[in-house]
Amino acid sequence: MNIVADLILYNGDIRTQNPADPKAKAVAISEGRILALGDNRKVKALAGAGTDLVDLQGRLCLPGFIDSHFHYYDWALGRRNLELAGIKSFAEFIRAVAETARKLPPGDWILGQGWNEADWPENRLPTRHDLDPISPDHPVMLWRCDLHLAVVNSKALALAGIDDSTPDPQDGIIVRDESGTATGVLREMAPNLIKPVIPALTPDAILSAMRDGMPALHALGLTGVHDVRIPGGVEWRDAFTAWQRLRAADELNLRCWVGIPSERLEEAVGLGIRSGFGDDRLRIGQVKFFGDGGMGARTAWLLEPYLDGGTGMCTYPIEELEAAIRRADRAGLAVMVHAIGDRTNRELVRIFERIETSRVEAGESAPAPPVLPHRIEHAQMIRPEDIARISRLPVAVSVQPHNMILDINMIDRCVAERGRFTYPYRQLIDARVPVMLSSDCPVCSPDPLVGIHAAVTRRRADGTPEGGWYPEHRITVEEAVRGYTVIPAAAYRMENELGTITPGKRADMIVLDRNIFDIDPMEIIDATVDVTVFDGEVVFQKN
């Protein structure tokens, strides 16, 4: 019996990302899987009376994009709050908050995220003294773009019971002025002191926000995400519950890997949860740990001091971090460790080396390693000798190219020429380290084409800096596309199901409005998605 295709895309420029069969003109899909690939005549012969045929008119077709570091829960809920990513100055920031305060009833919280003072002409952090006059009747909490720092007003501090004598929480800093007065700036885990007094959303409100986010990602060509959970609060429970409700209702139109926050490690081990558990749409990913902070907050842990003082902070004592990773490893749970500074990356590489040495020495008596590989998240500042050591380990790396664009000014100011050790994508790929590209959304735009543009050009949308920022670290368009397709599929041990347009694999693919392999790389940022296919169904089509 001949199989008839449900959907055929033809007359296209299909770049499969499969080296054995790199290009085709048409692809046929049946029951959510790729049925056939080839020329128009061969593939269209599989059409029947009920087959949908889409003429690609020569457009580029790629596998669906996978974002391997995405705070989906935070992003989905944050879409309903004050968006500050496009703010160009301190004055504009103040106007945006003041306008929001005028619109909201007294007592309502003003929540927002995305501001970046490093790109403002004033280059100054806002404090509660700036927020109090414009929001006397509203508690305010506004996250910096990197999510390593938030600023709150006096009303929020009072509701949380924070005053000048409140001690710093573990792995967090309540910033104080020279007189010891709290400024309203909270670094690293200190914002968690505020979270308990923010009114909780209902489960249905969370579900609605997470459901509403999926079409927005389809419009960007995303068919898979790793929802990374950070420590603190009940976000793990709320997010995972919503994901399960969406899956049970057959409304989960993303391949979703769900991370586990580090403080839930013992609970996960006790329940027998393992990385990779789940089905083709919802799976358990890695346990998330923090090794340090962020460079914008000067809390990333460095080998040499910042130009404006200090070497940052280790947010998880190294001995304890190694013990926790070993505990997870023995239980079949892979880990992802946030490592920004070069000192943190060096210490983390040493931990993974010792774990692998122990595994080899134990031989057959060693527990089976987790199904998924351990991961280094960000590897933002890392020395060449440590890259060479990573290449000898069964470890993947997840990086965020668009974050580099946001960080150019800040890194130039705080480490100057040591910026050559930051975002070293060329060195990582040349060393054959599996490098996944991602957004860290809502830290950065979730648009993979923005990430590809950044990785390939190392320039802002306006073309600066001319020639690219440390251009020796640029990668090719092909390598960037693989970082959103082939590499994450392999890192999730789904290489037989996802990542390439190959017969038998799941039919996740996208169509772009232009061929990003052939145009001026600076134009990639202007490219858009015309069609997204998920599990064989067209889930987005641009009008």
Side-chain angles (χ1 to χ4, degrees):
M1 180 178 177
N2 293 329
I3 299 176
V4 175
D6 300 319
L7 173 66
I8 290 177
L9 309 180
Y10 69 97
N11 194 27
D13 182 1
I14 300 172
R15 305 290 181 99
T16 68
Q17 304 306 299
N18 177 8
D21 193 9
K23 293 184 180 181
K25 287 290 185 181
V27 58
I29 296 165
S30 176
E31 296 183 352
R33 291 189 179 270
I34 298 167
L35 176 62
L37 194 68
D39 61 37
N40 290 328
R41 182 189 58 79
K42 170 188 171 183
V43 173
K44 290 177 74 175
L46 299 170
T51 302
D52 290 328
L53 289 97
V54 178
D55 184 354
L56 297 184
Q57 300 177 328
R59 289 172 295 177
L60 177 66
C61 179
L62 295 170
F65 290 138
I66 301 169
D67 189 315
S68 59
H69 191 118
F70 196 116
H71 300 281
Y72 186 95
Y73 170 91
D74 310 83
W75 168 78
L77 272 57
R79 293 175 76 219
R80 304 186 175 191
N81 295 328
L82 179 58
E83 175 55 62
L84 298 168
I87 296 296
K88 305 280 189 218
S89 68
F90 175 82
E92 186 180 343
F93 171 89
I94 293 298
R95 285 196 299 272
V97 179
E99 183 178 350
T100 302
R102 286 193 294 270
K103 293 177 180 178
L104 291 179
D108 280 12
W109 279 77
I110 298 175
L111 303 172
Q113 188 268 333
W115 55 274
N116 182 9
E117 86 294 341
D119 285 340
W120 296 346
E122 302 90 345
N123 189 31
R124 55 159 292 195
L125 287 174
T127 70
R128 66 182 177 89
H129 303 297
D130 301 308
L131 298 177
D132 288 350
I134 60 173
S135 57
D137 301 318
H138 302 82
V140 179
M141 184 176 191
L142 306 170
W143 289 86
R144 191 181 185 276
C145 61
D146 60 2
L147 300 182
H148 287 275
L149 180 153
V151 60
V152 300
N153 66 352
S154 295
K155 197 169 188 67
L157 289 173
L159 288 171
I162 299 173
D163 57 28
D164 299 342
S165 63
T166 302
D168 288 341
Q170 183 177 2
D171 301 328
I173 299 171
I174 302 170
V175 178
R176 308 165 205 271
D177 62 22
E178 294 178 355
S179 67
T181 301
T183 66
V185 176
L186 305 172
R187 297 181 186 271
E188 299 307 328
M189 297 304 162
N192 286 344
L193 299 173
I194 304 292
K195 288 182 179 181
V197 297
I198 299 174
L201 293 174
T202 67
D204 285 346
I206 294 171
L207 183 75
S208 176
M210 291 177 65
R211 182 194 294 118
D212 290 348
M214 284 185 280
L217 297 191
H218 293 154
L220 300 176
L222 283 164
T223 56
V225 298
H226 192 131
D227 185 22
V228 178
R229 295 271 47 83
I230 59 177
V234 295
E235 294 176 5
W236 153 250
R237 180 200 68 195
D238 291 347
F240 194 49
T241 297
W243 284 127
Q244 291 181 93
R245 289 179 66 188
L246 288 167
R247 184 68 185 106
D250 198 24
E251 295 180 323
L252 181 50
N253 290 328
L254 285 172
R255 314 285 176 199
C256 182
W257 292 266
V258 180
I260 300 173
S262 56
E263 77 266 23
R264 301 283 187 169
L265 174 61
E266 288 305 318
E267 183 180 354
V269 171
L271 291 171
I273 294 174
R274 301 289 184 266
S275 293
F277 174 76
D279 61 21
D280 66 288
R281 299 200 189 191
L282 183 61
R283 289 179 184 264
I284 297 293
Q286 281 94 344
V287 181
K288 172 68 182 292
F289 290 87
F290 275 85
D292 63 354
M295 293 187 75
R298 305 300 191 270
T299 50
W301 195 21
L302 305 188
L303 290 167
E304 302 173 53
Y306 293 96
L307 297 181
D308 43 6
T311 55
M313 61 190 292
C314 173
T315 58
Y316 207 121
I318 293 302
E319 296 79 8
E320 295 178 22
L321 178 61
E322 180 167 352
I325 293 175
R326 286 181 179 273
R327 173 74 164 140
D329 183 85
R330 289 192 298 270
L333 285 163
V335 304
M336 52 167 59
V337 185
H338 167 111
I340 299 288
D342 49 3
R343 174 71 185 275
T344 311
N345 278 286
R346 178 162 296 178
E347 295 291 347
L348 185 56
V349 169
R350 288 170 174 167
I351 289 173
F352 286 136
E353 285 175 335
R354 288 192 290 267
I355 289 174
E356 287 307 307
T357 298
S358 297
R359 201 188 310 278
V360 171
E361 291 175 348
E364 294 183 0
S365 63
V371 172
L372 304 184
H374 297 309
R375 285 170 41 174
I376 299 175
E377 301 305 296
H378 312 303
Q380 184 172 308
M381 186 177 191
I382 185 167
R383 300 297 175 113
E385 56 269 35
D386 296 316
I387 292 175
R389 293 162 67 190
I390 293 174
S391 70
R392 297 188 287 270
L393 293 167
V395 170
V397 173
S398 175
V399 303
Q400 299 73 40
H402 190 214
N403 199 53
M404 169 186 63
I405 302 303
L406 296 179
D407 280 353
I408 290 174
N409 289 343
M410 178 270 294
I411 290 176
D412 284 345
R413 291 187 187 115
C414 72
V415 296
E417 71 278 358
R418 279 181 285 151
R420 69 187 185 278
F421 299 127
T422 63
Y423 299 98
Y425 302 151
R426 178 78 274 146
Q427 285 181 308
L428 284 163
I429 290 175
D430 285 350
R432 299 185 181 277
V433 174
V435 177
M436 301 175 285
L437 303 192
S438 58
S439 66
D440 203 5
C441 181
V443 171
C444 295
S445 166
D447 188 346
L449 292 166
V450 171
I452 291 171
H453 170 269
V456 171
T457 69
R458 296 181 74 94
R459 298 164 75 182
R460 301 181 182 91
D462 65 3
T464 59
E466 186 176 354
W469 188 68
Y470 296 105
E472 66 272 19
H473 292 312
R474 290 178 300 195
I475 64 175
T476 68
V477 176
E478 183 75 29
E479 289 166 336
V481 169
R482 288 175 61 82
Y484 277 111
T485 56
V486 177
I487 306 301
Y492 292 125
R493 301 298 185 251
M494 298 288 285
E495 60 267 39
N496 294 325
E497 294 281 296
L498 303 170
T500 66
I501 301 175
T502 303
K505 290 191 177 184
R506 296 193 177 275
D508 295 355
M509 57 191 72
I510 62 173
V511 179
L512 303 185
D513 71 338
R514 65 197 76 184
N515 191 326
I516 61 175
F517 297 100
D518 295 342
I519 61 176
D520 182 334
M522 280 303 299
E523 295 179 24
I524 294 173
I525 200 167
D526 299 318
T528 59
V529 174
D530 281 350
V531 179
T532 299
V533 176
F534 174 77
D535 216 36
E537 300 286 337
V538 175
V539 292
F540 170 76
Q541 190 158 9
K542 188 165 63 177
N543 295 329

